[in-house]
Amino acid sequence: MSLRFHTLPTLPGAVRPGCRELLCLLVITMMVNPGVSGMCPTACICATDIVSCTNKNLSKVPGNLFRLMKRLDLSHNRIGLLDADWIPVSFVKLSTLIIRHNNITSISTGSFSTTPNLKCLDLSSNRLKSVKSAVFQELKVLEVLLLYNNRISSLDPAAFGGLSHLQKLYLSGNLLTQFPMDLYVGRFRLPDLTFLDVSYNRIPSIPMHHLNLVPGKQLRGIYLHGNPFVCDCSLYSLLIFWYRRHFSSVMDFKNDYTCRLWSDSRHSRQLSLLQDSFLNCSESVINSSFHALGFIHEAQVGERLVVHCDSKTGNGNTDFIWVGPDNRLLEPDKDMGNFRVFYNGSLVIESPGLEDAGVYSCIAMNRQRLLNETVDIMINVSNFTINRSHAHEAFNTAFTTLAACVASIVLVLLYLYLTPCPCKCKSKRQKDVLNQSSVHSSVLSPGPSGDASTDERKAGKRVVFLEPLKDTAAGQNGKVRLFPSETTAEGILKSTRVKSDSDSVTSVFSDTPFVAST
C-alpha cells in the first residue's frame, strides 16, 4: 500500500514548503505547548472543553491538562491542601472548578491565582474548619461558591471581600453559631448576593434589628431552616412575614422551621415555628415587624403619602408599575387622579381617602435580565379629625369625673373640719356655752346653791338631777343640745312654762316632773 501526497498549486514566486518542514513544525509546536494539542491525561476523561479526573487518587492537578478547558472536575480524590502550587499551570479559560469530596483542611492565600476567571467553585464535602480572610481575593468574577457539608465554625468578615459578583453562597451543613450578617451590612458586604443557604447549622437566633436593613431582593433568598432556634415571638413574626410574602425559602421548607422551648435547664421540647397561635404571639408583634420593615404604611385623610418600592431588583434598567386594591394599573407618565408613579418606583397619593386603603403591589421588571419581583404593601387610611374628636370627648369625660371627685373630697373636708357658723357669732356662741355650763353646775348641784333665791331655800325644794336629751337634728354637726330650743339657762328656770321644755326636764328618782317655781 502506497501513500500519495497531492500537492496544491502555488502562485508564481511563492516558495512551497516540503513535507519534512511541515512535519518538523508540527512536532516543535507539540513539544512547546503540549496541552494546546488537546491531549488528555490517562487519569482523566476529556470531552472538548470539559475534563473529568474524578476518583483517581490524585493529590494535585495534573500538569498536562488541556489548558483551554472550561470545566474541571477533581472530586473524590485525596487533595488535602490548597496552596499556591497545587495548580502548576495557568487556566485562563477555566470557569467551573469542582473539588468536592476531598480531604481539604485549609486554603492558603493565592491558591486560585492561576484560575482568575472562575465563576463557579465547588469546595463542598471537605474538612474545612474556618475560612480565613482574602483566600478568594483573586476570584473577581466568581458568582457561585459551594462550601456546604464542611466543618466550618467561623467566617472571617473579610473572607469574601472583593467578590462583588457573588450571587449564591452555600454554607449548609456546617457548625456556624452566628448568622453571617457581614455579608449584607458593613465594609465587606456583597451587593449581588441573592441566595444564602445557612440551613442545618447551629444558629440559635437571628439579629432582627440588622436583618431589617437587608433589601427585599436579598431577603427572599435567605434559607434558615434546620437550625436549633430558641422559640421567640420576634423570630416567629419574621418567618410569618416571609411566608405571607410567599418566599420560597419558607414556603418550600415550612415543616423544617422548628424551635426549642426550654422548660428548665435540662429539658426542652421541639415546636413548629410556623404553626397557628405560636406561643400566643399577638398580632401586634407581627404587625410591628411589618411596620419596621416598611410594608405597612399609615396615612391620614387628605395628607400626602409617599410609598417606596423596596425591591432593589435593579437601578436604571428597572421598570416599576403598581397594582391598586381594585386591580387598577398605576404606571409612570399617566394621569391617574390623585395617584402618581415615579420612575424610581415610588408611589405618591396626593389626597388619600378612606376608600384608598388596601393592599398595593409593586412589580419591578429588569429589562436586562428579564427578572421581576412583586412587593406587597398594606396602606391603612384613617380620619384624624374623627379620631381627634373622640379623643377630646374622652378627655372631657375623664376631666369631669376627676373634677367631681375633687369637689366631693373638698366638701367632705369642709363638713368634717369647718364649722358652718359665721365668724361674727363665734363669740356669742362661746358665751352661750359658758351660760349652759353654769346651768349645769347650778341645776345638777345636790345642795343649795349660793345663787338660789331665799324662798326656794325655805321651801326646801331641790333638783336632784337633770338629764339632757341628745338632739340629732340636722345642722348641729354632731353637738349635744341640752334643750331643744336655743334659750338661755335663765329663761328655762323662769315661771314661763313651755310644753316642749316640760317633757325634757325630769327627775331621775321621781315619776312626776318637777318645775321650779317663781
Side-chain angles (χ1 to χ4, degrees):
M1 183 177 179
S2 61
L3 295 177
R4 294 182 180 180
F5 295 94
H6 299 278
T7 60
L8 297 175
T10 58
L11 297 175
V15 180
R16 183 176 63 184
C19 293
R20 290 184 178 180
E21 288 79 1
L22 291 175
L23 182 59
C24 291
L25 180 63
L26 181 60
V27 172
I28 292 173
T29 304
M30 293 178 63
M31 291 177 63
V32 173
N33 194 2
V36 178
S37 63
M39 295 180 61
C40 186
T42 56
C44 303
I45 301 173
C46 304
T48 313
D49 57 354
I50 298 176
V51 178
S52 176
C53 304
T54 62
N55 201 16
K56 299 299 180 179
N57 201 27
L58 299 175
S59 59
K60 66 177 183 177
V61 178
N64 57 347
L65 287 176
F66 181 47
R67 296 186 185 181
L68 298 181
M69 63 182 173
K70 295 183 179 179
R71 178 185 173 94
L72 175 60
D73 188 354
L74 297 170
S75 58
H76 295 279
N77 283 285
R78 56 184 184 88
I79 301 174
L81 176 64
L82 299 185
D83 54 14
D85 299 328
W86 82 285
I87 300 181
V89 294
S90 178
F91 299 101
V92 294
K93 296 291 184 178
L94 188 63
S95 60
T96 302
L97 178 59
I98 303 172
I99 330 174
R100 61 171 175 251
H101 289 284
N102 279 269
N103 296 321
I104 302 174
T105 57
S106 64
I107 304 174
S108 302
T109 304
S111 300
F112 303 100
S113 58
T114 56
T115 58
N117 295 314
L118 279 182
K119 291 186 176 180
C120 179
L121 176 60
D122 188 353
L123 289 167
S124 61
S125 300
N126 280 282
R127 298 182 179 181
L128 292 172
K129 295 182 178 180
S130 63
V131 180
K132 300 179 180 179
S133 62
V135 294
F136 303 114
Q137 62 181 353
E138 299 93 359
L139 305 178
K140 302 297 182 181
V141 295
L142 189 66
E143 296 179 354
V144 180
L145 178 58
L146 295 89
L147 293 169
Y148 64 87
N149 193 27
N150 276 275
R151 303 174 183 177
I152 301 174
S153 59
S154 63
L155 293 173
D156 193 293
F160 309 102
L163 303 182
S164 57
H165 295 281
L166 188 63
Q167 300 176 9
K168 293 184 178 181
L169 178 58
Y170 293 81
L171 292 169
S172 176
N174 281 282
L175 305 177
L176 296 176
T177 57
Q178 293 182 350
F179 181 81
M181 200 66 220
D182 296 312
L183 301 175
Y184 297 99
V185 296
R187 175 184 174 187
F188 303 103
R189 67 186 185 91
L190 305 177
D192 290 344
L193 186 64
T194 57
F195 182 94
L196 175 64
D197 184 6
V198 289
S199 60
Y200 295 101
N201 277 271
R202 298 181 179 180
I203 303 175
S205 61
I206 302 297
M208 299 295 177
H209 54 290
H210 287 149
L211 204 62
N212 293 343
L213 305 176
V214 179
K217 178 188 70 171
Q218 295 181 296
L219 279 177
R220 188 180 293 272
I222 298 178
Y223 288 76
L224 300 170
H225 58 279
N227 280 284
F229 292 119
V230 177
C231 294
D232 182 61
C233 284
S234 59
L235 177 62
Y236 166 73
S237 65
L238 176 70
L239 297 178
I240 286 294
F241 171 70
W242 289 1
Y243 188 81
R244 291 181 182 179
R245 292 194 65 191
H246 303 285
F247 285 5
S248 58
S249 59
V250 180
M251 299 287 292
D252 298 342
F253 300 95
K254 178 181 178 181
N255 297 329
D256 294 327
Y257 282 93
T258 59
C259 66
R260 293 181 178 272
L261 184 63
W262 294 90
S263 57
D264 52 43
S265 59
R266 296 183 178 180
H267 301 87
S268 65
R269 59 191 180 100
Q270 205 85 355
L271 295 180
S272 176
L273 265 169
L274 295 175
Q275 65 178 343
D276 296 334
S277 66
F278 172 79
L279 293 181
N280 294 325
C281 296
S282 62
E283 283 292 326
S284 60
V285 176
I286 302 174
N287 290 335
S288 63
S289 298
F290 278 66
H291 276 283
L293 292 171
F295 293 96
I296 294 183
H297 294 264
E298 303 292 339
Q300 299 295 335
V301 173
E303 294 185 2
R304 188 171 184 264
L305 176 66
V306 180
V307 180
H308 302 286
C309 182
D310 186 27
S311 65
K312 305 296 187 300
T313 303
N315 39 33
N317 296 324
T318 305
D319 294 329
F320 297 92
I321 62 173
W322 287 79
V323 180
D326 54 354
N327 294 327
R328 181 176 57 161
L329 289 179
L330 307 175
E331 304 179 54
D333 292 338
K334 285 191 176 181
D335 186 12
M336 298 164 291
N338 61 336
F339 293 92
R340 185 180 178 185
V341 178
F342 290 90
Y343 284 103
N344 62 354
S346 299
L347 172 66
V348 178
I349 307 178
E350 293 294 342
S351 182
L354 296 176
E355 66 278 2
D356 295 327
V359 178
Y360 290 76
S361 300
C362 173
I363 302 176
M365 297 174 292
N366 190 296
R367 289 172 290 182
Q368 182 179 1
R369 300 184 180 179
L370 301 178
L371 300 176
N372 66 79
E373 182 183 5
T374 302
V375 179
D376 295 330
I377 294 177
M378 171 70 74
I379 296 179
N380 298 325
V381 182
S382 57
N383 195 336
F384 179 74
T385 305
I386 296 177
N387 295 337
R388 183 172 59 180
S389 63
H390 285 271
H392 183 66
E393 292 176 359
F395 174 76
N396 286 341
T397 304
F399 180 77
T400 304
T401 305
L402 179 62
C405 293
V406 172
S408 301
I409 294 174
V410 171
L411 291 177
V412 169
L413 293 176
L414 289 174
Y415 179 79
L416 293 177
Y417 295 101
L418 296 181
T419 174
C421 182
C423 296
K424 61 182 180 179
C425 66
K426 184 176 181 180
S427 58
K428 183 178 180 181
R429 175 66 58 86
Q430 293 177 352
K431 184 177 180 180
D432 293 342
V433 171
L434 292 175
N435 293 335
Q436 291 178 2
S437 301
S438 62
V439 170
H440 275 282
S441 61
S442 61
V443 173
L444 300 179
S445 177
S449 177
D451 296 336
S453 60
T454 307
D455 298 335
E456 287 180 351
R457 287 196 301 267
K458 292 180 179 180
K461 297 179 181 180
R462 297 178 181 177
V463 178
V464 178
F465 185 76
L466 294 179
E467 180 180 352
L469 296 179
K470 295 182 180 180
D471 190 359
T472 58
Q476 297 303 317
N477 291 338
K479 296 180 179 180
V480 180
R481 291 180 56 187
L482 185 61
F483 296 103
S485 61
E486 292 292 338
T487 57
T488 59
E490 297 176 357
I492 295 174
L493 298 178
K494 287 184 178 180
S495 59
T496 304
R497 187 172 182 271
V498 184
K499 182 177 181 181
S500 60
D501 294 339
S502 63
D503 297 333
S504 61
V505 182
T506 56
S507 175
V508 177
F509 303 103
S510 176
D511 293 333
T512 59
F514 174 80
V515 179
S517 59
T518 56

